[in-house]
Amino acid sequence: MKDKKSMDILKETSRNWLHERGVEIEDIAKLVMYLQQKYHPDLELEECIYNVERVLTKREVQNAILTGIQLDRLAEKKMLEEPLQSIVEVDEGLYGVDEILAFSIVNVYGSIGFTNYGFIDKQKPGILEKLNDKSSGKCHTFLDDIVGAIAAAASSRLAHRNENQI
């Protein structure tokens, strides 16, 4: 997966899979706004979108998106072996592997991402609330953490960029 065409496929597929699962770039940008508006009162959604877009260009992020969504899909189709099927299907609280996958995204822009991620994971605003709704029939055990991690990383990126401008 070294050539540009392969990299473009990875980028395009990860974005398409987010969209297919009901997650839009603007949804993630609104989470960034939620995290950063207190610190940057003049922050506009366009700047949040830009930072989300930049995070989504990272191969580590694209790989996490594809891996997490694939596992969620397999759980929906009951194609994982037990006991993993039950654990992923109900998003068991002590499982933690979904958060570990999200940490690979959070790490891209430094340690501030951990606090951003922890906060937004507990609050579950916007699209995260929708993804955590078990009544939809969809499994988003990995996706909710991935989306929160992308927002946390974009928020960290924005914070680092703004800090450098002071």
Side-chain angles (χ1 to χ4, degrees):
M1 178 95 24
K2 293 181 181 178
D3 63 14
K4 180 163 174 25
K5 184 177 179 182
S6 296
M7 295 306 298
D8 289 344
I9 290 169
L10 184 63
K11 179 181 174 183
E12 182 181 329
T13 303
S14 62
R15 287 171 177 263
N16 285 342
W17 285 14
L18 283 171
H19 174 74
E20 289 169 8
R21 300 299 283 188
V23 178
E24 303 299 335
I25 303 303
E26 188 171 316
D27 295 327
I28 304 171
K30 287 177 181 176
L31 297 174
V32 175
M33 181 73 83
Y34 178 83
L35 287 167
Q36 287 294 307
Q37 196 164 33
K38 175 181 175 184
Y39 308 104
H40 306 285
D42 296 331
L43 183 62
E44 297 196 11
L45 189 60
E46 291 75 27
E47 188 172 1
C48 297
I49 290 171
Y50 175 76
N51 283 281
V52 170
E53 294 280 1
R54 299 305 304 150
V55 169
L56 291 173
T57 64
K58 300 287 188 179
R59 188 178 345 170
E60 306 97 302
V61 175
Q62 296 162 1
N63 288 334
I65 291 168
L66 296 179
T67 301
I69 290 175
Q70 185 65 32
L71 287 167
D72 285 345
R73 286 176 171 171
L74 290 171
E76 283 175 4
K77 295 175 183 176
K78 303 198 182 308
M79 293 180 70
L80 299 173
E81 291 192 31
E82 291 295 347
L84 186 58
Q85 175 64 42
S86 296
I87 292 168
V88 173
E89 196 171 19
V90 300
D91 196 2
E92 188 176 297
L94 295 176
Y95 177 54
V97 176
D98 46 340
E99 282 86 6
I100 290 170
L101 185 61
F103 290 159
S104 70
I105 296 170
V106 169
N107 279 333
V108 173
Y109 289 101
S111 61
I112 189 174
F114 278 103
T115 55
N116 284 331
Y117 174 74
F119 177 76
I120 206 159
D121 189 47
K122 287 292 183 197
Q123 298 291 315
K124 301 211 186 307
I127 188 69
L128 296 180
E129 181 179 21
K130 179 182 172 188
L131 293 174
N132 275 283
D133 180 4
K134 307 292 187 240
S135 69
S136 71
K138 296 284 188 183
C139 178
H140 297 299
T141 297
F142 286 88
L143 183 58
D144 69 320
D145 293 304
I146 289 168
V147 169
I150 294 167
S155 179
S156 300
R157 184 181 192 283
L158 184 113
H160 283 292
R161 297 288 188 271
N162 283 334
E163 184 66 28
N164 291 335
Q165 294 175 4
I166 294 177

